[in-house]
């Protein structure tokens, strides 16, 4: 919670329910029942009742008005204390205690056993292990007989083969389009902001593309390419006209200096190299065919994707406990009675924008309610 929304805690999205489900790119339809039972309006009302005023920002992202994630966490901890919930920290669970298909409790690392009428596994995925999400929940689920679909990083920066990214690391681009290709076939494309790093690329549109790229890499696919349209607002013809106007104004200058109105300075030579043009040539000497090559480079700058950053750095983990083995209304295991799964541990993942937390809240509410209702008969 403390690290979501860059430390501001993006508690949910104000989107309509169908749009939230659409943004849950990994098994979104599985959430239909739980999301409608405890939706984003319920989440917002819950935090408002706890004394956390909220606000809606661009993209329908919902944040605390204070812009402080710690306010959300403190409110939840106070709520637990008010309900006299016992919280045990530094208490490692070693295994689930299961007999004849019924969960009876948990076994701790020190050998002690905690009896329980129900257990809700909310251990998170395998990203950000320093927060406690070390992936042990997958082992618990597997030991209980559940299928765990292969996990892979989603919402993760991408690593590129090209070394020139180091020369522009820290450069942020707005209003660009990133297009993901595999074997020459277009897979996805998104418009918005991105950032160059010493290893490759990141930023909002790259993170959205990264799930598919990560999936292809996990499948052992090669020939994965990213093409950047640095001028997506212009057609090829309009951009050619723009280049011609700029070149007419700077015809006596070297080519590098003739591009200063088109691109950030650090990116100029990279684009010119991609177009096969010598940066020191005089602008007025650039032929019509060479200008066409330049326009193509501006609207399709290639990057070869060779990998992702480690899963420990992923915002969310894709894959996990198979959804067909979980009751979507209650989150109860279809294999072990009184065992429930929620959150990132389940094979459900979403885009950025508050969708992953909303999914966790909806699943958690369902598991909490049904675990009590089942015990009460």
């Amino acid at each position: 919670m403390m690290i979501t929304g860059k430390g501001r805690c993006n508690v949910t999205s104000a989107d309509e329910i169908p749009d939230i489900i659409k943004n849950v790119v990994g098994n979104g339809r599985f959430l239909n029942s739980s999301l409608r039972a405890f939706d984003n309006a319920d989440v917002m009302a819950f935090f408002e009742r706890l004394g956390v005023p909220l606000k809606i920002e661009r993209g329908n992202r919902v944040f605390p008005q204070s812009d402080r994630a710690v306010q959300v966490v403190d409110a939840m901890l106070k709520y637990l204390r008010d309900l006299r919930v016992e919280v045990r920290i530094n208490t490692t669970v070693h295994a689930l205690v299961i007999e004849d298909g019924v969960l009876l409790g948990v076994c701790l690392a020190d050998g002690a056993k905690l009896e329980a009428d129900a257990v809700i596994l909310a251990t998170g995925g395998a990203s950000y292990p320093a927060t406690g999400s070390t992936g042990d929940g997958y082992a618990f689920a597997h030991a209980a007989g559940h299928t765990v679909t292969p996990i892979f990083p989603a919402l993760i920066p991408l690593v590129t083969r090209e070394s020139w990214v180091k020369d522009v690391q820290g450069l942020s681009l707005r209003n660009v389009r990133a297009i993901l290709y595999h074997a020459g076939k277009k897979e996805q494309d998104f418009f918005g902001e991105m950032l160059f790093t010493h290893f490759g690329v990141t930023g909002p549109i790259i993170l959205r593309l990264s799930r598919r790229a990560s999936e292809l890499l996990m499948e052992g696919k090669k020939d994965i390419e990213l093409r950047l349209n640095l001028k997506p607002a212009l057609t090829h013809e309009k951009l050619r006209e723009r280049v011609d106007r700029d070149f007419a104004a700077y015809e006596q200058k070297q080519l590098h200096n003739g591009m200063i109105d088109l691109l950030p300075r650090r990116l100029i030579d990279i684009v010119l190299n991609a177009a096969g043009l010598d940066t020191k040539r005089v602008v007025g000497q650039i032929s019509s065919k060479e200008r066409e090559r330049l326009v193509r480079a501006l609207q399709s700058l290639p990057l070869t994707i060779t990998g992702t950053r480690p899963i420990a750095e992923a915002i969310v983990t894709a894959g996990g406990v198979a959804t067909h083995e979980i009751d979507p209304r209650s989150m109860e295991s279809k294999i072990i009675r009184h065992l429930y799964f929620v959150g990132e541990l389940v094979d459900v993942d979403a885009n950025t924008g508050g969708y992953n937390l909303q999914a966790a809240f909806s699943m958690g509410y369902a598991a909490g309610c049904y675990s009590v209702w089942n015990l009460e008969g």
Side-chain angles (χ1 to χ4, degrees):
M1 297 283 291
M2 290 287 285
I3 62 176
T4 65
K6 297 181 180 178
R8 297 197 297 140
C9 194
N10 185 185
V11 294
T12 187
S13 166
D15 282 358
E16 297 294 326
I17 301 303
D19 291 326
I20 291 178
I21 292 174
K22 189 183 300 182
N23 275 282
V24 182
V25 290
N27 294 315
R29 285 187 293 179
F30 172 76
L31 293 179
N32 191 61
S33 295
S34 61
L35 184 56
R36 293 183 187 279
F38 191 73
D39 63 15
N40 50 351
D42 295 316
V43 168
M44 288 186 275
F46 172 77
F47 284 112
E48 295 274 0
R49 286 198 304 272
L50 295 189
V52 182
L54 301 173
K55 60 180 177 179
I56 300 174
E57 295 189 356
R58 181 172 58 91
N60 274 341
R61 297 170 186 245
V62 181
F63 292 92
Q65 289 184 13
S66 66
D67 286 330
R68 297 172 64 244
V70 68
Q71 184 186 19
V72 178
V73 174
D74 286 346
M76 295 186 76
L77 291 174
K78 181 180 182 300
Y79 186 57
L80 292 175
R81 289 194 295 270
D82 291 345
L83 292 175
R84 297 182 180 178
V85 174
E86 180 184 355
V87 178
R88 297 192 183 190
I89 61 174
N90 299 319
T91 306
T92 303
V93 174
H94 176 67
L96 303 177
V97 179
I98 300 170
E99 291 184 11
D100 299 324
V102 179
L103 190 137
L104 303 177
V106 297
C107 179
L108 303 183
D110 62 6
K113 290 185 178 180
L114 295 179
E115 294 183 0
D117 294 317
V119 169
I120 301 172
L121 280 182
T123 56
S127 55
Y128 292 108
T131 66
S133 57
T134 57
D136 49 2
Y138 303 123
F140 296 149
H142 182 73
H146 273 275
T147 302
V148 178
T149 62
I151 64 170
F152 58 95
L155 303 181
I156 184 83
L158 298 176
V159 179
T160 64
R161 178 181 300 158
E162 289 76 9
S163 59
W164 60 254
V165 294
K166 296 178 182 178
D167 300 327
V168 288
Q169 62 177 305
L171 176 63
S172 178
L173 300 179
R174 293 187 176 186
N175 302 320
V176 297
R177 185 171 294 279
I179 310 158
L180 181 69
Y181 286 86
H182 167 240
K185 177 186 174 184
K186 179 180 173 180
E187 294 281 341
Q188 287 180 324
D189 74 277
F190 293 106
F191 172 84
E193 300 177 27
M194 63 165 290
L195 175 72
F196 291 103
T197 70
H198 66 283
F199 55 78
V201 286
T202 187
I205 59 174
I206 302 301
L207 294 178
R208 292 194 69 182
L209 287 168
S210 68
R211 187 191 193 278
R212 181 58 183 150
S214 183
E215 196 171 33
L216 290 167
L217 289 164
M218 183 187 67
E219 294 170 357
K221 298 292 195 299
K222 306 294 183 182
D223 196 16
I224 304 171
E225 189 180 47
L226 196 64
R227 299 181 194 171
L228 305 179
N229 186 343
L230 304 174
K231 299 293 178 181
L234 300 176
T235 64
H236 179 92
E237 292 75 18
K238 291 294 184 183
L239 182 56
R240 172 60 193 268
E241 292 174 6
R242 167 70 191 278
V243 168
D244 287 342
R245 286 198 305 271
D246 281 17
F247 278 17
Y250 296 114
E251 64 177 350
Q252 300 301 319
K253 293 184 177 292
Q254 287 188 338
L255 191 51
H256 173 93
N257 295 322
M259 298 280 290
I260 58 174
D261 295 336
L262 274 170
L263 291 171
R265 283 189 176 274
R266 286 198 289 163
L267 201 55
I268 291 175
D269 287 359
I270 291 164
V271 172
L272 290 174
N273 288 333
L277 296 174
D278 185 341
T279 64
K280 294 182 180 180
R281 286 181 61 189
V282 176
V283 169
Q285 298 176 348
I286 304 302
S287 70
S288 178
K289 287 185 178 180
E290 289 172 324
R291 295 182 188 201
E292 280 295 306
R293 292 209 312 265
L294 175 58
V295 170
R296 286 195 294 272
L298 284 165
Q299 294 195 311
S300 189
L301 183 65
L303 282 166
T304 308
I305 305 302
T306 59
T308 70
R309 295 294 289 172
I311 194 170
E313 297 178 22
I315 293 176
V316 67
T317 306
V321 181
T323 55
H324 67 269
E325 296 174 354
I326 303 171
D327 185 328
R329 295 172 307 144
S330 65
M331 298 298 135
E332 185 175 17
S333 165
K334 293 181 179 179
I335 298 173
I336 304 297
R337 289 179 58 203
H338 304 162
L339 174 61
Y340 298 79
F341 298 100
V342 301
E344 201 172 337
L345 175 62
V346 181
D347 185 10
V348 170
D349 63 282
N351 292 323
T352 58
Y355 305 109
N356 286 291
L357 274 183
Q358 177 63 53
F361 291 142
S362 294
M363 286 189 273
Y365 182 84
C369 289
Y370 274 92
S371 62
V372 174
W373 293 339
N374 286 343
L375 293 173
E376 292 176 347

